[in-house]
Amino acid sequence: MTADLFETVADVRPSFEVIAVGAALLRGFAGPLESELMTALRDVVAQAPFRRMVTPGGHQMSVAMTNCGSAGWITDRTGYRYGADDPETGKPWPAMPALLRDLAGRAADHAGFAGFSPDVCLVNRYVPGARMSLHQDRDELDFGAPIVSVSLGLPAIFLWGGLKRSDKPRRFRLEHGDVAVWGGPARLNFHGVAPLADGEHPLMGRQRINLTFRKVR
Ligand code: MD3
Ligand code: FE
């Protein structure tokens, strides 16, 4: 029967929303991996704990961060950069778990960026009230590669601006399990996250975790 056929198709086809040319939202794409992702993250955080870094302007970020992969994103009074070692421990960042790398590769594939092989996963932790102001991601060498983001835990309002800081951002609600891919002409758009609303996520508690996978070298 036709209805059965379409139900089957709906089950195997992830949702795919185009936000802009080069930007796509795969709602629920990471949902099936939630427990494996949490286990992998717990392991990363045990080796490289979350910390709130300071911007070159001297402000402490409300978002706490850590990284895994062959390098990690850091900021301090001297600037933003990628570095091989965690400045807190003096040790290399923990390796990127294969599960995470594969998830990012599959998501990029779905959005038309075949062969994405990230070397960094920046892990952002938001508690209620934490936010990220509008910015561009431009510390990577290769803007030809996309960025893949995975949202876990409490929902957030993602702000999607244009190529100028003054372009009025559109707002998207990002929920647990949502994956987004940003590349091509969308790669340098301004973006940010509105202050996180309070809440309690059944699995993740009172926080939102966002993973961004990047090719930085
Ligand atoms: C659009 N993180 O870590 S992820 C960041 O939810 C960052 O923690 C946000 O922006 C967060 O730099 C947003 C979505 C995202 C990531 C990278 C992008 C959107 C992007 C790069 C270009 C355009
Ligand atoms: Fe960003």
Side-chain angles (χ1 to χ4, degrees), residues 22-213:
L25 201 46
L26 310 173
R27 296 215 182 259
F29 191 85
L33 290 175
E34 60 181 11
S35 15
E36 289 93 332
L37 285 169
M38 282 181 71
T39 306
L41 280 173
R42 206 166 284 133
D43 190 47
V44 166
V45 170
Q47 300 170 68
F50 283 113
R51 80 292 309 266
R52 288 173 57 199
M53 295 190 254
V54 174
T55 64
H59 299 283
Q60 187 176 38
M61 299 184 74
S62 57
V63 177
M65 298 178 163
T66 187
N67 293 273
C68 60
S70 58
W73 186 83
I74 43 193
T75 175
D76 59 19
R77 286 308 300 245
T78 70
Y80 308 126
R81 64 196 173 274
Y82 286 97
D85 298 331
D86 177 351
E88 290 294 314
T89 62
K91 293 187 295 190
W93 295 103
M96 192 187 307
L99 172 90
L100 268 64
R101 186 192 308 274
D102 294 351
L103 171 65
R106 280 196 297 118
D109 238 39
H110 271 275
F113 298 96
F116 177 52
S117 172
D119 41 26
V120 171
C121 174
L122 170 63
V123 185
N124 294 153
R125 178 178 190 265
Y126 297 75
V127 294
R131 60 192 286 271
M132 196 175 284
S133 52
L134 280 182
H135 66 278
Q136 292 172 298
D137 291 10
R138 48 186 321 147
D139 300 325
E140 303 75 25
L141 284 180
D142 176 11
F143 296 145
I147 290 181
V148 172
S149 93
V150 176
S151 293
L152 296 169
L154 290 177
I157 302 296
F158 175 70
L159 308 169
W160 172 247
L163 287 174
K164 289 183 304 198
R165 190 185 292 279
S166 55
D167 292 338
K168 186 178 165 26
R170 289 157 66 196
R171 300 163 76 88
F172 293 90
R173 188 179 153 98
L174 292 180
E175 293 188 26
H176 179 77
D178 290 351
V179 176
V181 183
W182 326 84
R187 178 63 182 76
L188 288 174
N189 277 51
F190 279 90
H191 57 278
V193 177
L196 196 77
D198 200 0
E200 176 84 23
H201 186 272
L203 201 67
M204 305 283 297
R206 215 172 160 216
Q207 61 174 341
R208 167 178 188 256
I209 303 275
N210 181 266
L211 314 175
T212 52
F213 295 90

Side-chain angles (χ1 to χ4, degrees), residues 1-15:
M1 221 169 82
T2 320
D4 290 336
L5 173 64
F6 284 125
E7 270 166 46
T8 310
V9 170
D11 281 348
V12 297
R13 269 205 166 243
S15 108

